[in-house]
Amino acid sequence: MEKSCSLLVHFDSGTPALANEIKLALEGNDVDAKIDALKKSIMMLLNGETLPQLFITIVRYVLPSEDHTVQKLLLLYLEIIDKTDSKGKILPEMILICQNLRNNLQHPNEYIRGVTLRFLCRLNEAELIEPLIPSILANLEHRHPFVRRNAILAIMSVYKLPQGEQLLVDAPEGIERALATEQDPSAKRNAFLMLFNCAQDRAINYLLSHLDNVPNWGEQLQMVVLELIRKVCRSNPGEKGRYIKIIISLLNAPSAAVVYECAGTLVSLSSAPTAIRAAANTYCQLLLSQSDNNVKLIILDRLNELKPSHREVIIDMIMDILRALSSPNLDIRRKTLDIVLELITPRNVDEVVLTLKKEVVKTQSTELEKNGEYRQMLVQAIHSCAIKFPEVASTVVHLLMDFLGDSNVSSAMDVILFVREIIETNPKLRVSIITRLLDTFYQIRSSRVCWCALWIIGEYCLSASEVENGIATIKQSLGDLPFFTVAEDGETADAKGLLSKPQQPNSAAVSSRRPAILADGTYATQSAASETAISAPTLVQGSLASVGNLRSLILSGDFFLAAVVACTLTKLVLRLEEVHLSKVEVNKASAGVLIIMVSILQLGQSSVLAQPIDNDSHDRIVLCLRILCNTGDNTRKIWLQSCRQSFVKMLSDKQFRESEEIKAKAQVSHAQPDDLIDFYHLKSRKGMSQLELEDEVQDDLKRATGEFTKDGDDVNKLNRILQLTGFSDPVYAEAYVTVHQYDIVLDVTIINRTKETLQNLCLELATMGDLKLVERPQNYTLAPESSKQIRANIKVSSTETGVIFGNIVYETTNVLDRTVVVLNDIHIDIMDYISPATCADVAFQTMWAEFEWENKVAVNTVIQDEKEFLDHIVKSTNMKCLTPPCALEGDCGYLAANLYAKSVFGEDALVNLSIEKQADGKLTGYIRIRSKTQGIALSLGDKITLKQKGG
């Protein structure tokens, strides 16, 4: 079994030293050789060697040395050697070092005194310390502060030993006297810390008698004062009124650490609006004054924690929080925007949007590496503001449309989706948006953005002039027809002098195809051309004008875009028939559109491009040709009305889901019917400050709304207790497992069920997976039929299923051998680390394409209903279904859905569920899990395999 250790030394692994060599070096007169030999002996001891023969050599040849380095290493050696035998009694030879320690404590050099006192802080044997007590106390009055501050720490350590109060009866009084006269900040802090830990009443009295001087105390002492205030107020809430005044006085301290701790203490102790406002204001000041990005992120977390219970106070600080956008770090900007978007009200929305607009303009004027990503975040934020408060849309929509040609495809995509939603929800802006879109359409360089822009043009060009402009804009972007010509010698050439084979435009796109996962969970084949934006058009050899954006993308093999162009032109011609009086003009426009469609089909079926047109796009374009040649009333209704109605329904479903989520978050628990009612107006207000009155009111409100009730937690605790040993074992153990974000706490209860005393009882734990034990196990003595609570901390470094296993080892008086009781394994569930989250369809598709780890689980269940199986998987995996409910309606025997969750470590978990109902009623299909790391994909797959059967 490994021993507990307070010392950690780094050393390079090499040839281990021999004990005889070390002994010879220690006996010599060379100081450097002694130092080297002492270091080697310490390293060997830390590695588990015993070296009993060296102790007498060190006493004879090393103790008398006057060299400071030798003396420091000697103390480290004495710290790690065994000072007791197997029965816990002091070894006789340890008496030899007592005289040396006493001499060091009376040494004329203050360094020797200080390091010896520091060594005594880690000495637990009362028999060795007792002869040194007078010398330790004498050092309290030494002239050098280094000695005094270590003497105070040594006294505190000795006083905290089991027999400490007998060894140092009047230690608190002596430390209090020393504190009254001490001038050194560190020594003063150590003295106050000793009183705080060992004589709390004396520390409180000293604090209350020096209230006016607290702001002038040193930073370290002020931190201890705040710790004392937290401890006192938790044990005696009625006293917190006077302590809050001290905290508020420290909010103006020069130290950022003190100010941060003050704000945190204020929030934890008081709910009064004045106190919360002071704390939030302090956090905002620190957010601007501190340059460290980690500090800024921590402060933003603290502000985010204040948001649910003190929303009104934080809303007043929204512009101060927005100033954190000046930081170039994307994580800080993202967190700032997330906080701000939940605090927007009709009162502050104009200011917020104005600030966001200024930030968007800045991203255009400066060339930074991550400007595109930051612009995308700003566009999404403005989109969110405009959806909540439609009146601000008119101020931002035209500015954002300048970025439709952004080289960052995701940013441009967010802009066009924003425009699509605004044009439907703000009918007054329709004309101006359509006009601006037609004017800027030629700038769009991304295939995906073109799809959406063309759909908007097809649906929202309503007047005759708008329809004509729409057709003209698309024709201009397509360029002159045909797309290619066949020369007499059989070679193909572009009709307008392009190269003999149509050039691939300047794009990362090629005509290779791969499956992509859609918003409804189904797979589709899409060209890689849709994934990237083409560069700005350049003059093609032999051409007089630049190539249009649609022409370049279609010539790169993007026939899905060509099908979208055909559908848009078809809608525009059908609408032109309704709004235009001249039949001749309508026929002329229809003929032009038919020629375009035929040219696209010719291009797709020719050998000009490496990849021919796909069947879906071909069928779609042929359908458009047939509709323009023979249009019926039902067909016209489907093309001109149904599509837009589906979009309106999608928007309403989205708004309904968002409102339901807000309602679910707003639900709070209420007090029990038989709870005590506290009448605020009948209370005595004598001697209470305004802050104390506010605090009392807030506490009453919390009781009334049930914030103080924790009844549900007690029930959950019982569910998390795990039995570690059997009822027939001599030692019974059970553990209560608490999973925090980055660590696991095991509260293990051990009961001695025998009539004997168990000695050197130790709980030995080991882990499997990304779990690490924080502390070394300690030995305990357990009386007959008594129990012991042992707490073990385990750090978690990634999201995957881990296992904790171990045993209990102990000795009895009758048996010489150690007894081992093997414990049941504790399995740490992945569900404790992941939580449901949402992400945009585009982001889901991007991550699905990028993530390299996939776990494919075959469906094997007794459940026969597709929707019921989906709900079962969602509940079992703690994930959120991104596929909207309207896409899951109906009974077609097939279901596809996307699920998403995020871990506490920021990892993304993507799941695609595809199932089909067979003729015999059984469900078949696959559940695909993708993630960036292997652990989460495998652990989630194991969880689904275990839980999917249902029934």
Side-chain angles (χ1 to χ4, degrees):
M1 185 193 74
E2 293 184 346
K3 298 176 294 185
S4 59
C5 176
S6 60
L7 181 64
L8 184 65
V9 179
H10 169 75
F11 63 93
D12 297 321
S13 56
T15 307
L18 298 174
N20 289 335
E21 293 176 6
I22 294 174
K23 188 175 179 182
L24 288 172
L26 292 174
E27 290 174 354
N29 295 323
D30 187 355
V31 174
D32 290 335
K34 280 188 177 184
I35 290 171
D36 192 47
L38 272 172
K39 286 181 178 178
K40 286 178 180 176
S41 62
I42 290 169
M43 290 173 186
M44 290 177 73
L45 284 167
L46 288 173
N47 275 343
E49 302 285 343
T50 52
L51 305 178
Q53 68 275 24
L54 282 185
F55 182 76
I56 298 301
T57 305
I58 286 174
V59 170
R60 287 180 62 192
Y61 296 101
V62 179
L63 279 186
S65 174
E66 289 292 323
D67 185 81
H68 289 184
T69 307
V70 171
Q71 286 295 323
K72 175 69 175 174
L73 289 169
L74 173 63
L75 293 172
L76 293 178
Y77 170 80
L78 294 175
E79 183 181 329
I80 60 177
I81 61 170
D82 288 324
K83 303 171 192 67
T84 58
D85 58 16
S86 58
K87 295 182 179 178
K89 292 184 179 179
I90 292 289
L91 295 169
E93 57 265 30
M94 285 299 125
I95 303 301
L96 295 172
I97 69 169
C98 278
Q99 185 59 42
N100 178 67
L101 292 174
R102 187 186 293 110
N103 293 340
N104 280 357
L105 292 174
Q106 296 168 358
H107 200 281
N109 183 278
E110 59 271 6
Y111 175 76
I112 296 294
R113 289 196 185 205
V115 294
T116 306
L117 288 163
R118 179 62 64 89
F119 162 71
L120 293 176
C121 293
R122 295 188 283 273
L123 202 61
N124 297 322
E125 288 74 25
E127 293 91 333
L128 294 178
I129 292 172
E130 189 172 4
L132 306 175
I133 294 297
S135 302
I136 296 172
L137 292 172
N139 280 302
L140 277 178
E141 298 173 3
H142 193 274
R143 59 180 178 78
H144 202 284
F146 177 69
V147 177
R148 295 199 301 274
R149 73 174 76 126
N150 283 303
I152 294 167
L153 288 177
I155 290 171
M156 180 171 73
S157 299
V158 173
Y159 194 78
K160 288 165 84 172
L161 291 175
Q163 305 91 357
E165 293 187 25
Q166 285 80 33
L167 294 174
L168 287 166
V169 180
D170 56 351
E173 291 89 334
I175 295 296
E176 191 172 15
R177 286 195 300 272
L179 179 58
T181 57
E182 185 58 66
Q183 297 300 317
D184 179 66
S186 295
K188 207 168 181 178
R189 175 256 181 196
N190 289 352
F192 191 80
L193 185 64
M194 189 274 174
L195 293 179
F196 167 46
N197 286 312
C198 305
Q200 189 172 303
D201 291 339
R202 291 179 183 274
I204 293 169
N205 291 335
Y206 179 81
L207 174 62
L208 295 178
S209 59
H210 295 80
L211 282 179
D212 296 335
N213 298 326
V214 172
N216 301 322
W217 286 352
E219 174 186 349
Q220 295 171 319
L221 183 53
Q222 288 175 342
M223 296 288 275
V224 181
V225 166
L226 290 171
E227 196 176 340
L228 172 67
I229 290 172
R230 279 197 292 267
K231 187 175 179 181
V232 171
C233 291
R234 284 197 192 101
S235 59
N236 189 5
E239 294 287 316
K240 66 182 177 182
R242 55 178 164 178
Y243 292 112
I244 287 175
K245 294 174 188 173
I246 301 173
I247 299 170
I248 289 179
S249 71
L250 286 175
L251 283 174
N252 299 318
S255 165
V258 171
V259 170
Y260 173 79
E261 285 297 323
C262 277
T265 307
L266 207 53
V267 170
S268 66
L269 297 183
S270 174
S271 302
T274 306
I276 300 300
R277 193 170 288 108
N281 195 38
T282 301
Y283 283 141
C284 290
Q285 289 172 4
L286 288 172
L287 193 60
L288 298 175
S289 62
Q290 297 302 303
S291 57
D292 190 304
N293 287 340
N294 292 317
V295 173
K296 287 178 181 280
L297 287 169
I298 291 167
I299 292 168
L300 286 169
D301 281 336
R302 299 292 85 77
L303 285 166
N304 198 34
E305 288 166 6
L306 289 177
K307 198 173 56 187
S309 50
H310 307 287
R311 181 179 167 80
E312 291 303 318
V313 175
I314 305 301
I315 283 174
D316 294 337
M317 305 282 174
I318 192 168
M319 297 311 295
D320 293 323
I321 297 171
L322 266 177
R323 289 166 70 184
L325 292 176
S326 59
S327 169
N329 183 278
L330 277 182
D331 291 326
I332 293 171
R333 286 170 161 174
R334 184 179 292 107
K335 192 163 280 192
T336 302
L337 290 173
D338 289 342
I339 293 171
V340 166
L341 288 178
E342 294 185 27
L343 299 174
I344 292 176
T345 63
R347 198 176 59 203
N348 60 29
V349 65
D350 292 328
E351 282 184 289
V352 171
V353 170
L354 183 63
T355 305
L356 296 178
K357 279 172 64 179
K358 288 178 181 175
E359 290 295 316
V360 170
V361 173
K362 282 182 193 173
T363 63
Q364 195 175 14
S365 58
T366 57
E367 285 299 325
L368 292 175
E369 185 183 351
K370 303 230 173 148
N371 257 355
E373 201 173 334
Y374 179 41
R375 190 184 304 126
Q376 183 184 354
M377 285 159 45
L378 291 169
V379 169
Q380 290 170 349
I382 292 172
H383 186 174
S384 178
C385 294
I387 298 307
K388 289 181 185 174
F389 303 96
E391 63 273 9
V392 302
S394 58
T395 63
V396 291
V397 67
H398 297 301
L399 170 71
L400 293 184
M401 288 178 76
D402 290 336
F403 297 99
L404 285 174
D406 197 339
S407 57
N408 183 334
V409 179
S410 300
S411 176
M413 198 67 207
D414 284 330
V415 172
I416 198 68
L417 292 176
F418 169 66
V419 171
R420 185 181 71 175
E421 194 162 343
I422 292 302
I423 200 171
E424 174 58 41
T425 55
N426 288 263
K428 293 179 182 176
L429 298 176
R430 186 192 63 79
V431 175
S432 61
I433 289 176
I434 283 293
T435 306
R436 185 62 180 258
L437 181 60
L438 294 174
D439 290 343
T440 57
F441 184 80
Y442 73 95
Q443 298 174 356
I444 300 174
R445 299 293 148 207
S446 163
S447 180
R448 281 190 289 165
V449 179
C450 280
W451 301 345
C452 196
L454 287 167
W455 184 87
I456 294 171
I457 291 170
E459 289 295 331
Y460 295 97
C461 286
L462 302 180
S463 67
S465 60
E466 288 170 354
V467 172
E468 288 172 349
N469 287 340
I471 295 172
T473 300
I474 294 172
K475 281 184 176 180
Q476 186 179 358
S477 296
L478 288 170
D480 295 332
L481 301 176
F483 289 102
F484 72 98
T485 56
V486 180
E488 290 183 6
D489 56 0
E491 291 184 353
T492 56
D494 190 297
K496 290 299 171 186
L498 295 178
L499 297 178
S500 60
K501 294 231 173 175
Q503 279 194 345
Q504 295 292 332
N506 297 329
S507 169
V510 290
S511 57
S512 61
R513 296 167 186 271
R514 64 179 180 190
I517 192 159
L518 304 179
D520 63 351
T522 56
Y523 273 98
T525 301
Q526 77 178 47
S527 168
S530 64
E531 300 294 322
T532 54
I534 60 172
S535 59
T538 54
L539 287 175
V540 183
Q541 186 178 0
S543 175
L544 299 175
S546 61
V547 179
N549 54 347
L550 291 180
R551 187 184 189 90
S552 298
L553 290 165
I554 291 172
L555 287 177
S556 72
D558 190 351
F559 286 105
F560 181 81
L561 175 63
V564 175
V565 169
C567 291
T568 303
L569 289 171
T570 304
K571 286 181 186 177
L572 290 173
V573 170
L574 291 177
R575 186 160 282 116
L576 193 64
E577 291 177 5
E578 291 187 347
V579 297
H580 208 288
L581 299 175
S582 171
K583 191 82 172 172
V584 176
E585 291 297 325
V586 172
N587 289 339
K588 186 178 177 182
S590 180
V593 167
L594 289 170
I595 291 171
I596 291 171
M597 294 182 194
V598 171
S599 299
I600 293 171
L601 290 173
Q602 275 185 332
L603 176 68
Q605 293 172 343
S606 71
S607 59
V608 177
L609 300 181
Q611 188 76 26
I613 188 170
D614 57 281
N615 292 333
D616 286 343
S617 300
H618 180 273
D619 293 347
R620 189 91 173 140
I621 296 170
V622 170
L623 175 66
C624 293
L625 284 168
R626 287 176 178 167
I627 286 168
L628 287 180
C629 295
N630 185 16
T631 308
D633 290 338
N634 289 336
T635 307
R636 188 186 303 277
K637 184 179 178 183
I638 290 169
W639 279 74
L640 296 183
Q641 296 178 21
S642 300
C643 190
R644 189 165 166 187
Q645 287 169 359
S646 298
F647 177 60
V648 171
K649 187 173 184 297
M650 185 190 85
L651 286 183
S652 62
D653 285 347
K654 179 184 167 189
Q655 290 169 356
F656 175 75
R657 288 201 309 273
E658 288 174 354
S659 62
E660 287 297 310
E661 285 177 9
I662 292 169
K663 285 179 186 175
K665 285 180 183 176
Q667 286 179 351
V668 293
S669 58
H670 297 285
Q672 296 300 315
D674 56 348
D675 280 357
L676 177 70
I677 298 175
D678 198 350
F679 289 98
Y680 162 67
H681 291 287
L682 301 181
K683 282 184 179 176
S684 170
R685 304 188 186 190
K686 190 175 180 181
M688 293 178 74
S689 67
Q690 180 63 29
L691 184 60
E692 289 173 277
L693 284 171
E694 286 184 17
D695 202 44
E696 288 286 336
V697 174
Q698 290 300 318
D699 282 355
D700 288 349
L701 284 173
K702 278 190 173 183
R703 287 190 194 94
T705 55
E707 270 191 57
F708 285 164
T709 58
K710 301 288 181 185
D711 299 332
D713 294 346
D714 298 332
V715 177
N716 292 333
K717 272 189 176 184
L718 295 173
N719 296 333
R720 302 189 75 87
I721 290 177
L722 303 172
Q723 184 181 334
L724 300 181
T725 62
F727 292 116
S728 60
D729 287 318
V731 175
Y732 175 76
E734 63 182 22
Y736 170 60
V737 184
T738 308
V739 180
H740 299 294
Q741 283 201 340
Y742 300 105
D743 59 336
I744 299 165
V745 179
L746 297 181
D747 287 305
V748 184
T749 304
I750 296 175
I751 302 172
N752 179 5
R753 304 178 69 230
T754 67
K755 302 290 185 182
E756 298 176 317
T757 300
L758 305 184
Q759 296 178 343
N760 292 331
L761 182 141
C762 178
L763 173 68
E764 296 179 345
L765 295 174
T767 59
M768 190 173 71
D770 280 345
L771 305 174
K772 289 186 179 66
L773 281 166
V774 177
E775 300 138 345
R776 299 282 188 189
Q778 293 184 356
N779 289 353
Y780 303 95
T781 300
L782 211 55
E785 298 183 346
S786 64
S787 64
K788 179 76 181 173
Q789 292 274 351
I790 300 175
R791 173 169 286 195
N793 288 307
I794 296 165
K795 287 292 176 190
V796 185
S797 53
S798 75
T799 309
E800 63 178 86
T801 302
V803 182
I804 304 168
F805 48 92
N807 46 52
I808 294 172
V809 184
Y810 62 88
E811 298 170 355
T812 59
T813 52
N814 299 333
V815 183
L816 295 175
D817 295 333
R818 296 171 69 81
T819 307
V820 179
V821 178
V822 180
L823 306 179
N824 287 333
D825 296 346
I826 300 172
H827 292 266
I828 303 303
D829 196 349
I830 187 177
M831 294 301 104
D832 292 320
Y833 303 124
I834 67 172
S835 54
T838 56
C839 74
D841 295 335
V842 176
F844 189 94
Q845 291 171 25
T846 305
M847 287 189 286
W848 188 268
E850 289 176 355
F851 288 175
E852 53 192 27
W853 290 104
E854 177 173 289
N855 190 2
K856 188 175 178 182
V857 179
V859 172
N860 178 19
T861 180
V862 297
I863 299 172
Q864 295 193 340
D865 182 72
E866 305 98 303
K867 188 74 171 62
E868 184 185 342
F869 181 69
L870 172 64
D871 293 339
H872 176 66
I873 293 296
V874 168
K875 186 178 178 182
S876 303
T877 57
N878 199 24
M879 301 187 84
K880 183 176 178 65
C881 181
L882 298 182
T883 307
C886 57
L888 301 172
E889 290 174 356
D891 187 12
C892 61
Y894 174 79
L895 186 144
N898 293 334
L899 312 181
Y900 179 69
K902 212 172 181 67
S903 78
V904 296
F905 304 101
E907 300 165 312
D908 301 287
L910 313 179
V911 171
N912 173 244
L913 174 77
S914 298
I915 50 175
E916 186 179 4
K917 196 167 189 176
Q918 299 295 317
D920 58 358
K922 289 187 69 176
L923 295 180
T924 60
Y926 291 98
I927 301 168
R928 290 179 177 84
I929 305 135
R930 285 199 186 181
S931 67
K932 212 168 194 173
T933 55
Q934 183 184 20
I936 194 167
L938 293 177
S939 300
L940 207 51
D942 293 341
K943 186 73 178 177
I944 290 173
T945 304
L946 188 68
K947 294 278 189 178
Q948 68 166 317
K949 287 202 172 184

